Amino acid sequence: QVQLVESGGGLVQPGGALRLSCAASGHIFSINAMGWYRQAPGKERDLVAQFISLSTVNYADSVKGRFTISRDNAKNTVYLQMNNLKPEDTAVYYCNAYVKVYSYNTPTEYWGQGTQVTVSS
């Protein structure tokens, strides 16, 4: 079984910064796409930033220039550096990954438990 464990959420004032981490553990052959989604109260879960390959990244338009995603393949970990945070960034942030447990199977999608980010003065 594969687990994704997030950390780094919290309360921050507008204009502040936070860094989220997500570590994948368990029986992992390889990790394909890996990234972050967020869900605000009453809204759908939306993509924030994602590695769709080892070097290709997608960002939501609303976070471009403020958020940076990075990964440490040796640690099966992905990070999200969030700068210049705004109240509208308030949401539960979820880690997402497509993982191959064995070389011969297709990637399976996994989700973390979520970490709350609140931007408020």
Side-chain angles (χ1 to χ4, degrees):
Q1 186 69 2
V2 174
Q3 289 187 322
L4 303 180
V5 178
E6 302 116 332
S7 61
L11 172 65
V12 64
Q13 292 186 342
L18 283 174
R19 188 188 192 214
L20 306 182
S21 299
C22 171
S25 63
H27 194 286
I28 298 171
F29 173 78
S30 66
I31 298 177
N32 294 36
M34 191 171 186
W36 295 92
Y37 286 70
R38 68 185 180 187
Q39 188 168 21
K43 296 188 176 181
E44 295 184 351
R45 190 175 297 187
D46 294 323
L47 174 71
V48 177
Q50 183 185 48
F51 280 97
I52 58 174
S53 70
L54 287 178
S55 59
T56 302
V57 177
N58 279 336
Y59 288 100
D61 288 342
S62 60
V63 307
K64 286 180 179 177
R66 300 188 298 123
F67 291 10
T68 303
I69 190 171
S70 60
R71 67 192 293 178
D72 184 332
N73 295 324
K75 296 181 179 179
N76 290 328
T77 299
V78 67
Y79 306 94
L80 185 68
Q81 178 65 43
M82 304 184 293
N83 297 329
N84 190 23
L85 282 159
K86 304 176 180 180
E88 52 263 42
D89 295 317
T90 296
V92 178
Y93 283 69
Y94 294 92
C95 183
N96 172 272
Y98 285 83
V99 180
K100 294 182 70 172
V101 177
Y102 298 101
S103 61
Y104 51 80
N105 64 353
T106 56
T108 299
E109 185 178 31
Y110 292 90
W111 291 93
Q113 80 284 356
T115 184
Q116 177 71 45
V117 171
T118 302
V119 185
S120 175
S121 56

